[in-house]
Amino acid sequence: MKPVMQWLDDDAGRRALIAAHPESILVSPELPLRANLSVLDNIAMIPEYRENLAYDAAADRAWALLGRVGQTDIAFRRDPDLNHEQRFVAKLLRALVANPPVILVDRPGMLLPDLHYPPYLENLLARLEDLPNDCWILDYRWNAPLYPSR
């Protein structure tokens, strides 16, 4: 998944872009993990319900994704026990396992407030590069200097 930047001028433009892509899945500060479920279960529940996959098969798929991004140590943690980076990984993998055509990472600075997020995102998404999903990073134009030149 190579990130595609979608530069936004304001919140109205952000909301319009999201509304114009109902086929996408959003990774956003407003869409929390299920606090009563582990990270593994938060990810596994998507193929369980969308594909009627048995829990063991869904959990195996979730575990494999956690392994690809080097985060198997968070598999059995719940949301209150996660830091911002771990919570973001869980949300991203939960979106990814649904196999949408486009994943929208909404305002990564709000999702990863304690990281220099552009290189972090580039590194994380490079580990998932062979997957067929598109990933759009929705960020405000004034944050463009934070991103490396392409």
Side-chain angles (χ1 to χ4, degrees):
M1 274 191 325
K2 275 210 174 248
V4 174
M5 295 305 305
Q6 298 291 328
W7 297 113
L8 309 166
D9 291 321
D10 55 28
D11 193 57
R14 181 185 72 81
R15 284 184 274 119
L17 188 144
I18 291 168
H21 295 281
E23 76 287 357
S24 66
I25 292 189
L26 194 59
V27 176
S28 170
E30 286 88 27
L31 298 172
L33 297 171
R34 301 280 309 259
N36 63 322
L37 298 178
S38 69
V39 168
L40 187 73
D41 291 341
N42 263 284
I43 299 167
M45 76 177 188
I46 303 302
E48 272 186 286
Y49 292 105
R50 288 190 171 205
E51 301 171 31
N52 200 27
L53 203 59
Y55 174 78
D56 289 343
D60 286 348
R61 191 182 296 175
W63 187 265
L65 287 171
L66 286 165
R68 286 184 71 156
V69 297
Q71 293 281 350
T72 54
D73 59 320
I74 68 168
F76 301 107
R77 293 185 194 172
R78 297 189 194 293
D79 184 51
D81 302 320
L82 300 173
N83 64 32
H84 294 290
E85 176 186 352
Q86 295 163 338
R87 188 171 293 112
F88 175 77
V89 166
K91 288 180 176 188
L92 178 67
L93 297 182
R94 180 180 65 181
L96 181 65
V97 79
N99 200 29
V102 179
I103 295 172
L104 304 176
V105 176
D106 181 28
R107 298 167 296 165
M110 291 181 71
L111 291 159
L112 298 163
D114 51 356
L115 287 177
H116 181 50
Y117 60 89
Y120 173 79
L121 288 171
E122 189 171 13
N123 181 45
L124 179 64
L125 296 174
R127 295 178 183 198
L128 304 166
E129 195 168 44
D130 62 316
L131 298 176
N133 315 80
D134 286 336
C135 183
W136 295 1
I137 309 294
L138 312 183
D139 208 343
Y140 293 113
R141 194 168 306 284
W142 56 80
N143 288 328
L146 298 174
Y147 290 83
S149 300
R150 298 208 181 254

